Amino acid sequence: MDLARQEAVTWRNRALLLFDRVAMPVAVCDVYGAVLLANPAMAAECGTTPGRLRGRDVLDLFSPREATQVERIAEALRLRHRSRYQVAVRWRAPGGVERCGELTADPVSDSAQDTPALLVMLRVDAERAPSPAAPAGQARVTPREARVLALLAAGATTARAARETALTTDGVTYHLRRLSSRWGASNRAELVARAYALGVLRAGVWPPEVSDISRDGEASDVSRDRDAPDVSRDRDAPDDEA
């Protein structure tokens, strides 16, 4: 082996060693986005090993947040423009954590005439852990509790909630206190927020509605309403506002 070739091999091995050890996720892809080489940091983001990433489409691993960004880059590469291209992406990391970040692609080749490869680097901006499941039984409410929560979310006063549910104002307060204690809510706004977070109230609708999940538990929860003190409204009693 001549000296020049031996030196080239030496520098190639050094580059690969650096490639493997760099902390930033990095991959080399062909012009179509297929992974040719990936370092351990990139593989770790995908929950696999570098060898198993070979041949995978980088856009199958990392979902672009805007499809138009990818279309512009593809057109620029087709015209052999050599610039740094950036794509905002999201992906699911090991453990179910959703992460957001940015892929940066630099076209690289030995000469301007050669079809370039893409040096792709990943920057992690943020992550969002999957929402923890509610403790068993925490999201279960009685039909009357669910109705009170829906009225509260719509801005009803205690008196109006009492009229709508055939309870006294003390009865409404009793149910709200019981829910606040169960969910650790310190005020009514937090109580409503918990109801949406736990799926008791249907998200994205107005006026507020009880979710199907809550309705599914109505039959088994009726007995819990029966255990509550007798707080039904006296039909002939005057309405007192709260």
Side-chain angles (χ1 to χ4, degrees), residues 11-181:
W11 279 105
R12 176 182 179 277
N13 290 340
R14 289 174 179 171
L16 288 174
L17 183 63
L18 178 63
F19 182 81
D20 281 343
R21 292 188 177 181
V22 69
M24 173 175 281
V26 183
V28 177
C29 304
D30 66 19
V31 73
Y32 302 105
V35 176
L36 304 174
L37 189 66
N39 72 346
M42 179 67 85
E45 286 296 329
C46 303
T48 187
T49 61
R52 291 183 179 275
L53 284 183
R54 192 172 296 119
R56 300 279 303 276
D57 190 322
V58 72
L59 294 182
D60 288 340
L61 302 170
F62 304 98
S63 302
R65 302 183 74 172
E66 294 182 25
T68 54
Q69 286 183 306
V70 179
E71 294 169 2
R72 288 196 298 268
I73 293 171
E75 178 64 15
L77 290 172
R78 188 184 68 79
L79 297 173
R80 293 185 178 273
H81 293 169
R82 290 177 176 267
S83 301
R84 171 169 289 184
Y85 305 106
Q86 296 169 323
V87 182
V89 293
R90 63 164 59 93
W91 67 99
R92 188 74 63 180
V97 175
E98 184 182 77
R99 287 182 173 165
C100 301
E102 185 177 75
L103 282 178
T104 300
D106 285 290
V108 293
S109 63
D110 292 335
S111 70
Q113 289 72 39
D114 294 337
T115 299
L118 299 174
L119 180 64
V120 176
M121 293 171 284
L122 176 68
R123 188 188 75 225
V124 180
D125 288 339
E127 66 180 40
R128 184 174 65 198
S131 300
Q138 192 180 72
R140 300 294 295 276
V141 297
T142 68
R144 185 167 284 170
E145 286 172 340
R147 177 62 177 150
V148 169
L149 285 167
L151 289 166
L152 195 66
T157 63
T158 301
R160 180 187 166 193
R163 288 195 298 271
E164 295 286 340
T165 56
L167 293 171
T168 65
T169 54
D170 286 344
V172 171
T173 300
Y174 164 79
H175 285 293
L176 294 179
R177 285 177 177 169
R178 188 165 72 165
L179 286 166
S180 296
S181 176

